[in-house]
Amino acid sequence: MPEISLTILCEGQTEARFVSSILRPYLKERSIFVKSVELNGSPSLKQLKNQVESLRSQHRGHAHISTMIDYYKQRLLSNEQIIGRTPFERVQYLEAEIAQRIAHSNFLPYLQLHEFEALLLTDLDKLQFAFPDEDVTNQLLGLRKDLGNKSPEEVNDGENTAPSKRIAKFFPEYELSKPAIGPNIAKQIGLDTLRNACPHFDEWVTKLENLSV
Amino acid sequence: MTSESQAQKHERIRGRTETLTRLSISGFKSIRELNDFEMCPFNVFIGANGSGKSNFIDFFRMLNHAFKSAEGHLQHYIAESGNASSLLHYGAKQFRHIDSALKFDGNNQWSQYSFSLAWGAPDELFYASELLEYQRDGKDFQPRKTQLGSGHRETAVLKAAKEDSLVKKTASVFLMRLRGIQVYHFHDTSSSAYVRLTQDIDGNQYLAHHAGNLAAFLYGLKINKFHHYQRILATLQLVLPFIRDFVLEPEVFNQRSILLRWMDQSGETFGPHQLSDGAIRLISLVTALLQPEETLPSIMIVDEPELGLHPAAVSLVASLLKAVSLKRQVIVATQSPLLIRAYDPEDIVVVERQAYAAGREESIFSRLESKPLKRWLKNFDLGELYEKNVTGGAPQ
């Protein structure tokens, strides 16, 4: 099978480690070789365009490029410019707009609804893995109640309601060392479960695994 | 980045562990006079080479030696350092004693250990005084004091904690408190370092300060604290993805020994000499920082954790140090902008050399504050500000 090279521009360490430890081995089996490159925080449209073009020039146009950026607090377009009633419609609109404005073939922008931490909400029990010193049953009960019926990608984007803030409310340690804890929990949950519970994420992984030269 | 105040951090750690809140050191190496310095739950010391950061850590290493085993190893430490005069600020001609006081805050009480080491001819250091003080809220109207005599060469606390007397209980509590301060020093990863050699399989209750019993300790975790072991392995795999697992079993030729063997992703087994210095150092660090809470020392001190580590590993360690500070007091000495970048100004103590008399210099310690740096931090991270010398701490 011909080898395909894919670079994913990641917002931070947490996303970069997620890509390396979970997406990379999975896509390698399909002859897609993934590299994660760290952006320095959430990029503006101009900053993203610069980095996509630099990558382009580095690989002389042959590599596929994607992104893993949080939808919450994104700086690519202002909120007024985004059209759509549901979060899914809005993020899809945003991704299409970005793809148009950074017009390159082989560029597939992806934003995580609403943040990376949404992935960790797909199987709350796995949070225990990160805290072996204590029994976190009570915290998990509190968190489950706090989330109600929302699906992970629908958990919203307020100062106190974003996924990471909800987790931090019950697990203060999480706030302090996300990059060490987050990817590990995601790995415990497993790619299949993540895809089943997060449709927008699943859509992205499907596009990636079907990339062709 | 959270900008939690130090008061909030103190509050969070209270009840979980005792913390060192005030520290005085005078006459020790480049530290002429550090007076009642405020220590916080999380402390990151930065400064140029030779500024005195390492001397600060060495002070605690001296304490570790002083309280080591039943007899104490202060004299051993002095011998290792060269001679008694080399520990004194500008040698024995100038300063003839090292004084120190360590104040601790615990649940509803404070306690303080103070001592004075005096120089004696031809080249000796002995205890001129040792004092144990404490005061419990609502129980003691005045601080209770216990003097431990003078003229002894190893700390009198050790003996006082063993022998039946009125001071036995107090001395035991202080002994435990002072032994709870642990300097971790993983710099020796040479081919003959303890960590790479066969280890006594029974030495697995606590992680040694040089990680010499790393294999034994991990073996103990794998058997008794499997979830902790799993967490350590998974965390290591984030930056050392080639390690599938550690192979930890008693050696065939000697069931009392164990070696740090490991397996790569293809299933092949390797020995400790096939791990790079940086990898060994990282495994030691991650194990130290993710060990079960009950074996965590109350005060963890790490000198230059960034040594030999890839930037991704440095960032990982930065987050782990921060996580530990929720449970225990942490003191770190570092040169790394990458490490510094993960923290808040209040976490940082800048160490600089300053002249105080003709030809004489001393180490000065000052904690950073957020407010003056607020505008800078809009455009630069704390690591960059350190590189630019906005924070201070550059060679001058």
Side-chain angles (χ1 to χ4, degrees):
Chain A
M1 245 185 110
E3 282 180 16
I4 297 173
S5 167
L6 166 66
T7 302
I8 303 182
L9 288 163
C10 301
E11 181 169 333
Q13 289 169 47
T14 314
E15 290 77 10
R17 293 210 188 103
F18 172 81
V19 166
S20 305
S21 55
I22 294 145
L23 284 184
R24 210 165 104 118
Y26 176 72
L27 291 171
K28 186 162 169 225
E29 287 167 25
R30 286 154 178 71
S31 293
I32 300 171
F33 294 87
V34 179
K35 193 164 92 163
S36 60
V37 169
E38 268 181 56
L39 296 163
N40 230 334
S42 189
S44 66
L45 192 58
K46 191 170 168 201
Q47 286 169 332
L48 183 59
K49 187 164 186 174
N50 265 332
Q51 302 212 35
V52 170
E53 280 167 5
S54 301
L55 265 180
R56 230 321 72 104
S57 135
Q58 182 188 4
H59 295 285
R60 282 178 261 163
H62 293 311
H64 290 271
I65 303 172
S66 187
T67 65
M68 190 174 187
I69 298 170
D70 286 343
Y71 174 75
Y72 173 50
K73 284 198 169 161
Q74 58 83 22
R75 296 167 52 221
L76 296 156
L77 287 184
S78 74
N79 282 325
E80 299 85 58
Q81 293 171 285
I82 305 173
I83 298 172
R85 276 172 309 167
T86 68
F88 294 99
E89 283 177 21
R90 293 171 67 80
V91 79
Q92 271 162 349
Y93 178 85
L94 178 54
E95 287 169 4
E97 271 298 304
I98 296 165
Q100 214 179 51
R101 295 185 196 206
I102 305 180
H104 284 290
S105 53
N106 296 348
F107 176 54
L108 226 170
Y110 169 71
L111 281 95
Q112 177 66 45
L113 270 182
H114 283 71
E115 287 185 296
F116 171 81
E117 280 73 14
L119 297 174
L120 306 185
L121 300 177
T122 57
D123 187 353
L124 292 180
D125 288 326
K126 296 293 189 287
L127 278 165
Q128 173 72 72
F129 178 81
F131 308 103
D133 283 308
E134 46 198 300
D135 179 358
V136 299
T137 317
N138 284 335
Q139 285 104 306
L140 289 178
L141 266 166
L143 183 54
R144 247 183 261 276
K145 205 167 155 207
D146 191 87
L147 293 169
N149 287 330
K150 298 196 219 6
S151 79
E153 287 175 328
E154 287 174 312
V155 176
N156 29 18
D157 54 357
E159 240 353 278
N160 295 317
T161 54
S164 61
K165 296 292 189 287
R166 295 193 196 227
I167 295 176
K169 204 163 38 170
F170 298 92
F171 297 91
E173 186 174 332
Y174 182 79
E175 180 94 69
L176 293 193
S177 66
K178 302 187 209 194
I181 299 180
N184 273 337
I185 299 175
K187 194 156 187 197
Q188 287 295 303
I189 296 175
L191 191 56
D192 286 338
T193 310
L194 293 174
R195 295 179 73 172
N196 285 335
C198 304
H200 185 59
F201 175 73
D202 183 35
E203 206 176 42
W204 178 50
V205 180
T206 310
K207 284 186 198 160
L208 294 181
E209 68 192 347
N210 287 313
L211 283 177
S212 54
V213 178
Chain B
M1 208 173 326
T2 57
S3 43
E4 224 185 5
S5 67
Q6 287 294 358
Q8 285 170 303
K9 286 177 182 161
H10 267 292
E11 198 45 56
R12 204 181 14 188
I13 210 175
R14 197 187 303 273
R16 235 167 153 162
T17 188
E18 229 182 18
T19 54
L20 180 65
T21 48
R22 295 269 170 193
L23 176 62
S24 301
I25 304 174
S26 61
F28 181 78
K29 297 194 174 185
S30 65
I31 305 173
R32 181 178 71 106
E33 191 178 343
L34 182 63
N35 208 2
D36 217 33
F37 186 74
E38 192 187 346
M39 294 294 288
C40 298
F42 194 58
N43 312 268
V44 180
F45 287 75
I46 67 178
N49 296 105
S51 58
K53 284 192 320 298
S54 291
N55 289 341
F56 184 77
I57 305 281
D58 279 344
F59 171 80
F60 289 99
R61 286 182 60 232
M62 181 176 76
L63 270 188
N64 277 172
H65 275 77
F67 288 92
K68 190 171 168 181
S69 72
E71 326 82 52
H73 285 226
L74 177 67
Q75 298 305 323
H76 194 131
Y77 175 78
I78 294 169
E80 269 180 3
S81 306
N83 54 28
S85 203
S86 62
L87 293 178
L88 295 162
H89 184 66
Y90 282 101
K93 290 219 173 90
Q94 304 306 319
F95 271 72
R96 294 244 164 147
H97 48 98
I98 296 170
D99 297 322
S100 171
L102 293 100
K103 182 158 187 253
F104 300 86
D105 264 346
N107 258 335
N108 305 316
Q109 69 165 51
W110 65 264
S111 52
Q112 179 163 280
Y113 169 63
S114 15
F115 67 92
S116 181
L117 287 171
W119 184 85
D123 184 68
E124 269 209 337
L125 276 181
F126 63 92
Y127 285 91
S129 70
E130 278 190 287
L131 176 64
L132 308 177
E133 294 173 89
Y134 68 90
Q135 188 173 17
R136 292 165 297 183
D137 293 348
K139 278 195 191 170
D140 303 307
F141 299 113
Q142 276 183 339
R144 307 193 120 214
K145 302 189 190 210
T146 306
Q147 290 273 13
L148 293 175
S150 90
H152 42 282
R153 301 174 86 242
E154 296 293 343
T155 171
V157 177
L158 289 166
K159 214 161 139 210
K162 251 196 318 202
E163 295 175 347
D164 275 318
S165 70
L166 288 169
V167 306
K168 183 178 179 175
K169 193 158 177 233
T170 305
S172 309
V173 173
F174 270 85
L175 183 57
M176 220 174 69
R177 180 175 286 139
L178 291 161
R179 279 193 173 149
I181 306 175
Q182 180 67 275
V183 178
Y184 283 112
H185 199 79
F186 303 133
H187 293 29
D188 182 13
T189 48
S190 63
S191 52
S192 59
Y194 291 117
V195 64
R196 292 194 194 265
L197 305 179
T198 49
Q199 303 164 15
D200 180 354
I201 208 168
D202 292 321
N204 60 23
Q205 279 77 36
Y206 295 95
L207 182 64
H209 70 276
H210 49 37
N213 66 338
L214 185 59
F217 186 72
L218 283 171
Y219 174 68
L221 290 185
K222 205 169 185 179
I223 296 179
N224 300 318
K225 294 271 177 182
F226 189 60
H227 294 297
H228 286 85
Y229 174 81
Q230 272 187 313
R231 184 174 65 160
I232 290 170
L233 184 61
T235 305
L236 282 170
Q237 285 168 334
L238 290 175
V239 285
L240 300 173
F242 59 89
I243 296 182
R244 187 158 116 186
D245 200 354
F246 290 103
V247 177
L248 301 164
E249 300 150 346
E251 286 291 287
V252 172
F253 61 84
N254 179 358
Q255 297 279 303
R256 305 285 321 275
S257 306
I258 187 166
L259 264 176
L260 187 65
R261 294 192 200 281
W262 56 282
M263 186 187 289
D264 76 355
Q265 294 297 347
S266 75
E268 185 129 3
T269 306
F270 297 87
H273 289 85
Q274 286 149 314
L275 281 167
S276 68
D277 288 353
I280 292 241
R281 213 167 278 134
L282 185 61
I283 298 167
S284 307
L285 261 170
V286 171
T287 304
L289 296 171
L290 291 181
Q291 61 184 299
E293 190 163 351
E294 59 255 33
T295 55
L296 273 174
S298 359
I299 300 173
M300 298 185 72
I301 306 180
V302 190
D303 190 10
E304 292 194 325
E306 69 268 15
L307 217 61
L309 297 191
H310 181 276
V314 177
S315 304
L316 177 68
V317 169
S319 353
L320 294 179
L321 282 165
K322 225 175 167 177
V324 169
S325 77
L326 268 174
K327 305 176 197 155
R328 297 289 189 268
Q329 187 168 24
V330 176
I331 298 174
V332 183
T334 184
Q335 295 278 33
S336 166
L338 252 177
L339 200 76
I340 293 164
R341 164 169 148 190
Y343 305 130
D344 301 318
E346 283 78 20
D347 298 328
I348 313 286
V349 177
V350 182
V351 188
E352 287 180 303
R353 285 192 88 112
Q354 240 177 61
Y356 67 87
R360 292 274 153 73
E361 288 183 324
E362 61 176 333
S363 295
I364 297 288
F365 298 76
S366 32
R367 193 172 289 267
L368 290 180
E369 286 172 43
S370 282
K371 212 151 166 237
L373 297 173
K374 202 162 159 203
R375 200 160 193 285
W376 277 114
L377 288 168
K378 287 197 188 193
N379 295 311
F380 300 97
D381 65 56
L382 202 53
E384 287 170 317
L385 294 182
Y386 172 61
E387 283 176 306
K388 290 158 71 69
N389 199 30
V390 165
T391 55
Q396 350 226 33

